[in-house]
Amino acid sequence: MNPVLSDIVRQLKSAGRITADDVIAMRREVYGAPEMAREDVEALIALDQAVSDAPPEWGGFVADAMVDYVVHQQDPEDFVDDAKAAWLTSACAGPLTRQGGLEALVRVLETASSAPEALERFVLGKVKAAVVATGRLAAEDVALIRRLVFAGASEGAIGVTREEADALFDIDEACGANADPAWPPFFAQAIDDVLTAVSPFHLESRGDAQRDEAWLASRPGVFDFFKQMAARPDLGGALGDIFHPNEGERREWEGPEAQMQADEAAAAPITDEEADWLMKRLGNGPLSAAGQALAERLKAQVPEAGARLKPLIDAA
């Protein structure tokens, strides 16, 4: 570990406070080396767990360091594999600040091409625990939760999973009465998505990425292309490319587009199982502000809901 950074971290833990100048000094030490050391990143996480009095610059620095080390520096680059996820969950097991460690974990899921489901569940649990512990939902909490739910590397990609929806219900039960106005519309949108929508994006695994890279590497260059044209001229294909330049691309997307339309049509109706889950989560008492927003959103979309959802629609 960088001895200068180690001294700075030790002094800041003792002082119980981090200043903007401290962040500049730590950034200089971390990024002054050719490569970032694991022990340096672990020291920053430990500092975040020990000191909560920090400037806004602290969160950006910790997030930059964690993303650069985990996502970009360590193999496989751009992907979080099981080994990386195991290290993250171990290093971040203690309580983290919202603006520091939690921001860094969410940024990892936003930046990586994919990550194990176990890591997404871990981060979701950490964020939920931190918010519920305060008993309130500030605007920055709502923004952080939104980013986590729609992070590209998470299990549902930019869609919403049932597990994420259950976490949102738990947060609403604990903090909904003291929530920022941004919470009800976000909650309604997210729960609506898990009931009636399907994400158009699918995570690419590292194996898929490697196959794509190998395919690109095997493609002929410009000289090879013209050599093949001279040997086996395809005048019909060449004329087609000239007069209909987008035809090949259109044909390539026909299959995926048709599949997407079929998936959307299948996901749109609210099934009996989904309706039973929703009514159980809402409970028998009066609706919270977020629950009311959800009821109004669903009423506008499914005014003739089945018997299972009728009490909710009637409450809108």
Side-chain angles (χ1 to χ4, degrees), residues 77-97:
E77 187 178 355
D78 296 334
F79 292 81
V80 177
D81 59 7
D82 291 337
K84 291 182 181 182
W87 174 76
L88 273 174
T89 54
S90 175
C92 299
L96 302 170
T97 64

Side-chain angles (χ1 to χ4, degrees), residues 86 91 127 159 162-163 181-182 222-223 245 258 276:
V127 171
R162 176 71 65 86
E163 186 171 6
V222 174
F223 177 75
D276 290 342

Side-chain angles (χ1 to χ4, degrees), residues 8-128:
I8 295 174
V9 168
R10 183 167 55 253
Q11 293 170 12
L12 293 178
K13 284 182 179 180
S14 177
R17 181 171 180 264
I18 303 170
T19 68
D21 288 339
D22 296 327
V23 175
I24 293 174
M26 287 186 285
R27 185 181 285 274
R28 184 183 301 117
E29 293 302 322
V30 168
Y31 285 100
E35 275 198 342
M36 201 176 300
R38 170 173 292 194
E39 292 79 9
D40 293 343
V41 182
E42 289 174 340
L44 298 180
I45 296 172
L47 180 59
D48 186 71
Q49 294 171 339
V51 179
S52 59
D53 186 0
E57 294 86 351
W58 169 247
F61 167 51
V62 175
D64 287 345
M66 188 178 291
V67 168
D68 287 341
Y69 177 76
V70 175
V71 181
H72 300 311
Q73 180 176 309
Q74 298 299 300
D75 289 330
E77 187 178 355
D78 296 334
F79 292 81
V80 177
D81 59 7
D82 291 337
K84 291 182 181 182
W87 174 76
L88 273 174
T89 54
S90 175
C92 299
L96 302 170
T97 64
R98 188 203 63 77
Q99 73 275 15
L102 294 180
E103 166 68 25
L105 287 172
V106 171
R107 191 90 66 83
V108 166
L109 291 177
E110 288 180 314
T111 307
S113 296
S114 70
E117 294 178 12
L119 179 61
E120 198 271 343
R121 286 195 298 270
F122 172 79
V123 179
L124 181 63
K126 297 287 287 187
V127 171
K128 184 180 85 168

Side-chain angles (χ1 to χ4, degrees), residues 137-207:
L137 270 167
E140 55 266 28
D141 296 323
V142 179
L144 185 71
I145 295 169
R146 178 190 293 273
R147 288 170 51 209
L148 172 58
V149 168
F150 293 114
S154 64
E155 180 184 355
I158 66 166
V160 184
T161 66
R162 176 71 65 86
E163 186 171 6
E164 290 169 336
D166 276 322
L168 297 183
F169 269 111
D170 293 341
I171 292 172
D172 188 59
E173 290 172 3
C175 310
N178 191 17
D180 184 84
W183 174 250
F186 161 65
F187 177 89
Q189 175 199 356
I191 303 304
D192 180 18
D193 281 358
V194 80
L195 292 171
T196 64
V198 60
S199 173
F201 297 98
H202 302 281
L203 300 181
E204 182 181 51
S205 69
R206 180 56 183 152

Side-chain angles (χ1 to χ4, degrees), residues 198-200 202 252-267:
V198 60
S199 173
H202 302 281
E252 181 181 350
W253 279 98
E254 276 182 349
E257 184 178 1
Q259 183 61 52
M260 185 62 213
Q261 291 175 350
D263 291 343
E264 288 176 342

